[in-house]
Amino acid sequence: MTASTPEAPFIDRTNAPKQMQPLTVLKPAKQTAPVLYASPHSGNQYPVDFVANANLDPLSLRRSEDAFVHELYDSCIQYGSPLLHANFPRAYVDANREPYELDPDMFSGPLPSYVNVDSLRAQAGLGTIARIVTNGADIYREKLSFTEVHQRIDGLYHPYHATLRHLIETTRTQFGACLLIDCHSMPSRVEATSAKGRIPDIILGDRFGTSCAEWVSDFAQVILEDQGFSVMRNRPYAGGFTTDHYGNPAQRVHALQIELNRALYMDEETITRLNAFNDIKSRLEGFIQRLNTLDPEDL
């Protein structure tokens, strides 16, 4: 497998987060399945001032991206499901966190009382506004102001989640139930191995059975394994804010996170598609096609 020339991130020349189009929703002509897909981490529109003031070069800033993930799943519209994806990058705002999950050490002044400063994820540098990219390199040269961060969250994070809530509610209204597939990718160096001692292709996260009915997770795993993927569950990725916040099987809303091994489809150093990209996309299309045959009465 070979990779092409490295792709630079799209730099948003508006130089203002509030002018960035926060998200994209791809919709089928008619929604025919109770399943919807979301990709909160594949955005690559980097504001020019963010790039200019970062401690890292543009390629390094992309280490946290779930690059190309929304492209891998966009065939879902052919099978009657919408796809929501963030346009803003995870390094700028992480939509798979609480609204204000922040590390106080990143800021030049005190934070409001409603901010969750005790979050383990924020303390690890991976809060709503991340301090580091995936490989642990610091993003910022200087401390941030809360005003700036509040603008990012208000202008990007909240529209993403308002749209996601709307899609969930309209799906449940139409079908009586909803299955949200939260689409992610994971570094190939993840500390997880299967019984055969190999790093899995996919890790499914259902918050250990609390965000998605076990039979739904089982069904998804069987389909993925039929497509040739090796699959593990919940370790080390059980799901983030999205699955925890929206998944409520008792209310017939199921949320299942999919982490795809990046080495299957991309060069992790240059962040470029491998020749195998189309094969992985085709196999995921097979997964989508079968998953979307779920009878909403069963959910």
Side-chain angles (χ1 to χ4, degrees), residues 34 169-178 251-253 296-297 299:
E169 290 165 4
T170 55
T171 299
R172 186 168 62 166
T173 297
Q174 179 179 348
F175 297 98
C178 175
Q251 297 297 317
R252 303 187 69 192
V253 176
E297 294 296 323
L299 290 173

Side-chain angles (χ1 to χ4, degrees), residues 180-290:
L180 168 63
I181 302 297
D182 202 40
C183 308
H184 296 259
S185 67
M186 61 185 179
S188 62
R189 295 174 295 278
V190 63
E191 293 183 5
T193 57
S194 68
K196 296 181 180 179
R198 59 175 289 191
I199 296 172
D201 297 328
I202 286 174
I203 296 176
L204 295 178
D206 61 9
R207 306 295 296 178
F208 296 96
T210 62
S211 71
C212 183
E214 185 175 2
W215 74 265
V216 177
S217 298
D218 289 344
F219 182 54
Q221 181 168 349
V222 167
I223 302 171
L224 289 165
E225 289 175 342
D226 285 347
Q227 290 295 327
F229 295 108
S230 59
V231 182
M232 289 178 56
R233 300 266 276 271
N234 288 313
R235 300 183 189 278
Y237 302 116
F241 174 79
T242 299
T243 47
D244 189 43
H245 183 72
Y246 294 104
N248 189 343
Q251 297 297 317
R252 303 187 69 192
V253 176
H254 305 263
L256 180 65
Q257 178 176 284
I258 297 182
E259 293 276 1
L260 178 67
N261 190 327
R262 292 174 185 167
L264 294 176
Y265 72 93
M266 65 177 278
D267 184 306
E268 295 174 88
E269 293 303 314
T270 61
I271 311 183
T272 53
R273 300 170 187 82
L274 295 172
N275 290 338
F277 183 92
N278 288 336
D279 174 62
I280 297 301
K281 181 179 173 72
S282 177
R283 289 159 65 185
L284 287 172
E285 181 176 348
F287 162 73
I288 291 165
Q289 184 177 14
R290 284 186 60 191

Side-chain angles (χ1 to χ4, degrees), residues 106-210:
M106 293 175 59
F107 294 87
S108 56
L111 299 177
S113 59
Y114 57 80
V115 173
N116 181 358
V117 297
D118 297 320
S119 160
L120 295 178
R121 291 177 295 200
Q123 291 175 8
L126 296 170
T128 317
I129 305 298
R131 173 172 49 81
I132 60 174
V133 291
T134 297
N135 65 1
D138 287 328
I139 295 172
Y140 297 97
R141 296 174 183 166
E142 300 175 348
K143 291 185 180 293
L144 304 176
S145 72
F146 180 74
T147 299
E148 174 193 352
V149 163
H150 177 74
Q151 289 174 345
R152 293 189 203 179
I153 294 170
D154 195 48
L156 300 173
Y157 178 99
H158 287 307
Y160 177 88
H161 281 281
T163 302
L164 181 56
R165 282 193 300 272
H166 175 73
L167 289 170
I168 291 171
E169 290 165 4
T170 55
T171 299
R172 186 168 62 166
T173 297
Q174 179 179 348
F175 297 98
C178 175
L179 170 58
L180 168 63
I181 302 297
D182 202 40
C183 308
H184 296 259
S185 67
M186 61 185 179
S188 62
R189 295 174 295 278
V190 63
E191 293 183 5
T193 57
S194 68
K196 296 181 180 179
R198 59 175 289 191
I199 296 172
D201 297 328
I202 286 174
I203 296 176
L204 295 178
D206 61 9
R207 306 295 296 178
F208 296 96
T210 62

Side-chain angles (χ1 to χ4, degrees), residues 10 12 17 20-24 39-47 50 65-66 84-96 128-129 152-153 155-161:
F10 173 80
D12 178 14
M20 183 191 299
Q21 188 65 33
L23 54 94
T24 296
S39 176
H41 288 163
S42 58
N44 69 345
Q45 295 186 21
Y46 289 76
F50 172 65
E65 259 185 53
D66 288 346
L84 164 67
H85 68 87
N87 294 327
F88 54 90
R90 181 186 187 183
Y92 193 64
V93 177
D94 192 336
N96 198 29
T128 317
I129 305 298
R152 293 189 203 179
I153 294 170
L156 300 173
Y157 178 99
H158 287 307
Y160 177 88
H161 281 281

